[in-house]
Amino acid sequence: MSIRKSARPVLLRQPLAAAISSMLLALCSMEASATDTESTTKTRASFDTRTLQARGIDPKVAEYFSEAPRFREGTHTVTLILNGAKLGLVDATFDENGQLCFDRALLEKAKLRETALVNPSSASDTANASGCYDFAATYPTTKVTLNPAQDEVALLVPTEAFQPGGYDLANAATGGAAGLLNYDLLGQSTRTSGQSSRYLYASTEVGANAGDWIMRSRQVYTSNDDRSRFEHVYAYAQRTFTSHKAIFQAGQINITSPLFTGAPISGVQIIPEGALAAQGSGPVVEGVAQSDARVDVRQAGALIYSTRVPAGPFALNDIPLLNGRTDLEVTVVEGDGAERKFIVPMASLNASSLPRTGYSLAAGKVRNISGIESTQPVVATAAGSWVVSKSTVASGGVMGGRGYQALGLGVDSKVATSTIVSARNTLSNASKDNARGVQTSFAINANLTGSLSAGASATFQTKGYRDLLDTTYGDFGAFGSSRYKSQFTGTLGWSHPTWGGLNLSYSSVQTFNGTTTGRFVGSWGKTFRHASVSASLETELGSSGQHTTRHNGNAFYVNVNIPLGSRNLRTYVNQRDDRLRTGATLSEKVNDTMNYRVAAEGGDGGTDLTGNVALTPRYTQINLGAGHYGSGSTSFFGQFRGGVALHDGGVTASPYPIQDTFGVLSVGDLSGVKVTTPYGPVWTDPWGKAVIPQLPAYKSSRVEVITKTLPRNVDIKNGFKTIEAGRGSVIDVQFDIVKTRRVLVTAIDDQGHPLAKGSSVMGPDNTFVTTVVDDGQLFLANAMNSEGLKVFLPDGKQCALNVTLPEKADEHAYYENAIASRRIL
């Protein structure tokens, strides 16, 4: 064989094709010829047809393999790459020349425009499912790169070929049914100066998805020593109607409105489906804990979130808000029982992007979830947001009920490429109190440069202003004077490659009784070659009349992190008020299912020793810890979180809470296989199943099997899936596996002589299997189909092989060793 420039062998995946191509390449000579129209080199192979016929190979096969690598005619599942981005799997069709057919399925997957048909069967421009569009002729700069060896098709298309903006809801998977249970249990026991205290927090969510309907019920139980409380937070049913791009809710819900406070009601609601709109990053609650502490977040009087944080700065994400208009009350309970509270104004969290457009309607009876005695009037509200110009969204709405009416107006505008200004104005009339008032808020968020960002918000309300919940309390005057009169927030962020990053935030609240409280938080951080350094400052200010003084709540924190491989050493200095503390923490991520942390802290008040271990034993999350504070306080805690899905294939546990759109995957019947999902890694249970706890609605997401966790005797056809799920659907994802027995066989006769090198091994249907190499050895890619093997010897004789295998395959070995006897036919 002689090879000229740019000649490359054809790589094929099918064993038979690979065998044939190997034989052909062994017999061919390559000839290169340059075309007149392109400065590229085509490769073409010529074969000795008589030799091929003698080997039993049709010369037509040689003609097919004489050209460059290409797909066989028909439909193949390939990975589609569009302008450099992987879009996942698609069934692509190829003609008799191996050329790609731009059919409707391909254009829809890539979200490309339809063009004229290549060979229309009628005058109609509408293609049937198998018709090919003349896409390359319409957009001549299109480049198609075929890679049959990797089952990939790469397209490079001009931007004008894309469909107009917007998501094609027809691509989203729908349907499916399953039940679920989410749980979050936190228990803590503290003993101080001979007295003990116990705290228990239990949050459960039960529900089901069926026919794209979402049904959920959430309950929270808290117990603090002899005081306990059970709160039924909500129970509702929800469905997205894609034709209207709207969500319908019914039950115990919270009013979602761009203008009014989100009161809890028992009723119905229609709101825009926001999965397609650009959204902000969600609320983030920041603070500094002096010790290992518990953080409780309340909204509208209800406890909506409770977690533990280590000493130092903290930032809480993914808080399950009841609504987007009511401020958050945050309580930090330190390890020694000391409490601190602060308010996070909601105006400071809602100015990160233009709001989504659409209309919202709600009607129902107000629910009491705060535990304070109140009335429960019937209320109705309607609001809408619509585009005024390319950079401006206006909002308007009304709310009314017995003894209460409100009118709201708002505007959000991009005054510059990266600057958003928002304004809200709400007028209220509470006839029961004969009170009328106004609430006005402003917010601005700006990315001033690539490294500098800033934001500010201000909210004012008159003494006569009431929101809906204010009118439900029996004695408004008992707490009316403690309501805020004004709120101010400001943030500033700056980053520099040499000096690090700096973030500053300030908030201030003034009440009608003349009290003013302020809170300032600043942080700086920089990563060096062998360590990272950060510092945080938290200051709380209080006032009485016109004299402003500092009070308890000031903290300064300096932290140095030193990575030590899988371990991390953290040292810090912490000062709160006049109390100076220093400490060190050692943490390590042992593996995917375990990490731990131990800490020691000393200074004013004695020495604290704490430690915890976090476990993810595949099907739940466990966090256990203990602490000793000073000379007379000890604390123990335990937390369990996770979910359980009930589906038609059985019951499957999840280490993470299950969200409104989820799936169930299976990897055959294999246990302990690790699979990455959009929410985090999961592991298959003893029946080969695992829960995909969250799938983003109406967006593509990737689920991938970590193949190194598969048994060695298992092959998987395709280790990843691209999923597009409709809201409320339950997706069934199956990874097809093939259990094989790879065996290195040594074939000998009765006298111990090995088979001749180069002998061909054929299957019972005379298909090529493999070739004998040195010492009579041959490799069977799947010895489970080893019955009826025949060997064609160089002298023209044939013999039958009898391979003897152990009854059970070795799952931990890539291949086994076996002896085969032969019998002359």
Side-chain angles (χ1 to χ4, degrees):
M1 177 179 69
S2 62
I3 302 179
R4 293 189 180 183
K5 56 183 178 180
S6 74
R8 298 171 62 184
V10 180
L11 300 177
L12 298 175
R13 307 190 99 165
Q14 297 84 352
L16 179 59
I20 294 176
S21 63
S22 299
M23 297 174 66
L24 294 174
L25 289 172
L27 297 169
C28 73
S29 62
M30 308 299 292
E31 298 178 354
S33 61
T35 66
D36 295 331
T37 59
E38 298 178 318
S39 59
T40 58
T41 302
K42 288 186 177 180
T43 304
R44 188 173 182 88
S46 59
F47 302 91
D48 187 334
T49 56
R50 288 180 296 178
T51 303
L52 293 176
Q53 289 175 335
R55 292 293 182 98
I57 299 176
D58 190 344
K60 292 183 180 179
V61 178
E63 182 180 350
Y64 181 88
F65 284 108
S66 65
E67 296 185 5
R70 55 177 173 161
F71 285 93
R72 290 179 290 108
E73 181 181 3
T75 301
H76 304 274
T77 301
V78 300
T79 298
L80 180 62
I81 303 174
L82 180 63
N83 289 10
K86 283 191 176 183
L87 300 186
L89 300 180
V90 64
D91 289 333
T93 302
F94 301 87
D95 62 18
E96 65 276 6
N97 296 317
Q99 298 302 307
L100 178 66
C101 168
F102 283 86
D103 57 13
R104 174 166 293 171
L106 181 69
L107 296 180
E108 288 180 351
K109 178 69 175 182
K111 297 180 176 62
L112 300 175
R113 296 178 183 269
E114 291 185 4
T115 63
L117 289 173
V118 176
N119 294 306
S121 56
S122 66
S124 173
D125 290 334
T126 303
N128 56 36
S130 60
C132 296
Y133 293 90
D134 200 1
F135 186 87
T138 305
Y139 302 102
T141 58
T142 297
K143 293 184 179 179
V144 180
T145 303
L146 306 179
N147 187 357
Q150 301 296 326
D151 282 344
E152 288 182 349
V153 172
L155 302 180
L156 185 63
V157 304
T159 55
E160 63 266 22
F162 288 97
Q163 295 176 3
Y167 185 85
D168 186 359
L169 299 176
N171 292 336
T174 59
L180 63 88
L181 166 66
N182 292 326
Y183 58 90
D184 186 352
L185 309 175
L186 172 63
Q188 181 174 337
S189 175
T190 303
R191 187 173 182 84
T192 304
S193 301
Q195 296 182 345
S196 61
S197 174
R198 290 180 174 84
Y199 174 81
L200 175 64
Y201 166 83
S203 172
T204 60
E205 184 181 52
V206 296
N209 286 27
D212 297 328
W213 279 93
I214 302 168
M215 291 154 281
R216 296 290 187 271
S217 174
R218 185 181 177 215
Q219 303 71 224
V220 174
Y221 173 81
T222 56
S223 174
N224 196 348
D225 295 333
D226 57 350
R227 300 187 307 274
S228 63
R229 182 180 177 185
F230 177 83
E231 298 176 81
H232 185 77
V233 183
Y234 55 70
Y236 67 91
Q238 170 184 313
R239 191 182 191 279
T240 294
F241 292 90
T242 56
S243 59
H244 301 285
K245 296 184 179 180
I247 296 175
F248 172 79
Q249 293 180 330
Q252 297 173 324
I253 57 178
N254 294 278
I255 295 176
T256 300
S257 173
L259 295 166
F260 303 113
T261 299
I265 63 171
S266 297
V268 296
Q269 179 172 235
I270 298 174
I271 56 177
E273 170 57 79
L276 309 181
Q279 299 293 308
S281 58
V284 178
V285 174
E286 296 180 296
V288 178
Q290 182 179 356
S291 61
D292 288 358
R294 188 181 83 242
V295 180
D296 298 336
V297 182
R298 287 177 169 81
Q299 188 178 38
L303 180 66
I304 60 173
Y305 191 78
S306 182
T307 190
R308 287 186 59 87
V309 296
F314 63 83
L316 306 181
N317 301 285
D318 298 328
I319 297 175
L321 299 180
L322 297 179
N323 60 77
R325 296 283 294 170
T326 307
D327 298 336
L328 303 181
E329 179 184 289
V330 182
T331 303
V332 180
V333 183
E334 300 289 353
D336 59 2
E339 293 188 5
R340 291 183 297 107
K341 295 184 179 181
F342 59 89
I343 300 295
V344 179
M346 189 54 63
S348 66
L349 304 174
N350 288 335
S352 58
S353 63
L354 288 176
R356 57 179 178 261
T357 58
Y359 297 93
S360 59
L361 304 170
K365 185 178 182 180
V366 175
R367 291 188 298 126
N368 182 358
I369 62 174
S370 65
I372 302 175
E373 184 178 351
S374 63
T375 60
Q376 297 175 304
V378 174
V379 66
T381 179
S385 298
W386 55 93
V387 176
V388 176
S389 66
K390 185 177 181 181
S391 59
T392 302
V393 173
S395 304
V398 295
M399 174 180 284
R402 184 176 181 181
Y404 179 79
Q405 299 82 37
L407 172 67
L409 299 171
V411 62
D412 299 84
S413 181
K414 279 191 174 182
V415 298
T417 304
S418 56
T419 301
I420 297 177
V421 177
S422 302
R424 297 286 184 273
N425 195 62
T426 306
L427 293 81
S428 71
N429 175 43
S431 58
K432 186 185 74 169
D433 297 333
N434 193 25
R436 295 178 178 84
V438 179
Q439 183 189 75
T440 303
S441 63
F442 303 94
I444 180 171
N445 271 20
N447 291 322
L448 304 177
T449 66
S451 59
L452 182 63
S453 62
S457 70
T459 302
F460 309 91
Q461 63 184 9
T462 64
K463 197 167 185 177
Y465 176 80
R466 305 285 190 270
D467 64 31
L468 177 62
L469 293 180
D470 289 339
T471 65
T472 63
Y473 300 120
D475 184 9
F476 181 78
F479 66 92
S481 61
S482 63
R483 292 190 311 149
Y484 75 86
K485 181 179 180 181
S486 60
Q487 294 178 339
F488 299 93
T489 68
T491 61
L492 182 67
W494 176 74
S495 62
H496 190 275
T498 301
W499 303 108
L502 178 67
N503 291 282
L504 305 175
S505 66
Y506 174 76
S507 63
S508 174
V509 178
Q510 183 181 11
T511 64
F512 284 105
N513 60 17
T515 301
T516 300
T517 58
R519 182 170 178 264
F520 173 80
V521 177
S523 63
W524 167 85
K526 176 171 171 54
T527 300
F528 298 91
R529 182 175 181 181
H530 298 295
S532 61
V533 180
S534 62
S536 299
L537 173 67
E538 180 182 13
T539 301
E540 295 185 9
L541 301 174
S543 72
S544 176
Q546 297 180 350
H547 302 285
T548 301
T549 58
R550 295 190 174 190
H551 67 83
N552 292 340
N554 303 324
F556 182 69
Y557 196 92
V558 178
N559 179 79
V560 179
N561 273 304
I562 304 173
L564 304 171
S566 62
R567 299 180 179 90
N568 185 74
L569 177 63
R570 181 171 66 93
T571 61
Y572 59 90
V573 177
N574 177 20
Q575 181 173 356
R576 181 171 294 279
D577 300 325
D578 298 327
R579 188 181 181 189
L580 181 65
R581 309 278 290 176
T582 60
T585 300
L586 178 66
S587 60
E588 178 183 7
K589 182 177 181 181
V590 180
N591 49 43
D592 284 337
T593 61
M594 177 182 176
N595 62 76
Y596 68 86
R597 181 184 66 89
V598 292
E601 182 180 288
D604 299 337
T607 301
D608 297 345
L609 300 173
T610 61
N612 75 282
V613 57
L615 306 171
T616 307
R618 294 187 177 178
Y619 314 123
T620 189
Q621 293 182 75
I622 303 173
N623 192 7
L624 305 173
H628 179 81
Y629 304 95
S631 58
S633 180
T634 58
S635 176
F636 301 90
F637 77 89
Q639 185 175 24
F640 296 83
R641 299 180 70 240
V644 178
L646 175 64
H647 50 92
D648 57 3
V651 178
T652 306
S654 166
Y656 316 106
I658 302 172
Q659 308 300 312
D660 61 3
T661 305
F662 62 99
V664 178
L665 65 87
S666 61
V667 187
D669 58 355
L670 303 178
S671 174
V673 178
K674 182 180 177 181
V675 184
T676 60
T677 74
Y679 201 93
V682 297
W683 293 263
T684 56
D685 63 12
W687 300 274
K689 298 185 180 300
V691 178
I692 307 172
Q694 180 182 23
L695 290 169
Y698 308 114
K699 290 180 174 60
S700 296
S701 57
R702 180 183 174 112
V703 179
E704 183 174 6
V705 174
I706 306 302
T707 55
K708 66 180 181 181
T709 63
L710 292 170
R712 289 297 191 92
N713 66 333
V714 169
D715 285 334
I716 190 166
K717 179 180 179 181
N718 194 332
F720 73 91
K721 305 277 188 180
T722 299
I723 303 170
E724 296 179 1
R727 189 180 299 280
S729 61
V730 180
I731 308 300
D732 182 22
V733 180
Q734 297 185 8
F735 291 95
D736 297 326
I737 63 169
V738 178
K739 292 186 177 181
T740 64
R741 296 193 71 172
R742 304 179 188 90
V743 179
L744 182 62
V745 178
T746 301
I748 57 176
D749 59 15
D750 295 338
Q751 288 74 38
H753 299 140
L755 282 175
K757 180 179 179 180
S759 301
S760 299
V761 181
M762 311 294 285
D765 54 354
N766 289 328
T767 57
F768 179 82
V769 176
T770 187
T771 302
V772 178
V773 293
D774 295 326
D775 301 324
Q777 291 185 326
L778 55 102
F779 187 78
L780 298 179
N782 189 2
M784 299 176 72
N785 301 321
S786 60
E787 297 291 334
L789 292 180
K790 295 179 293 185
V791 179
F792 288 81
L793 302 174
D795 58 5
K797 297 181 180 180
Q798 300 180 29
C799 65
L801 283 183
N802 182 24
V803 181
T804 303
L805 297 174
E807 183 176 348
K808 187 175 181 180
D810 186 354
E811 295 183 355
H812 303 290
Y814 182 77
Y815 67 89
E816 304 172 69
N817 291 283
I819 301 295
S821 60
R822 60 174 179 165
R823 176 174 54 85
I824 300 296
L825 298 177

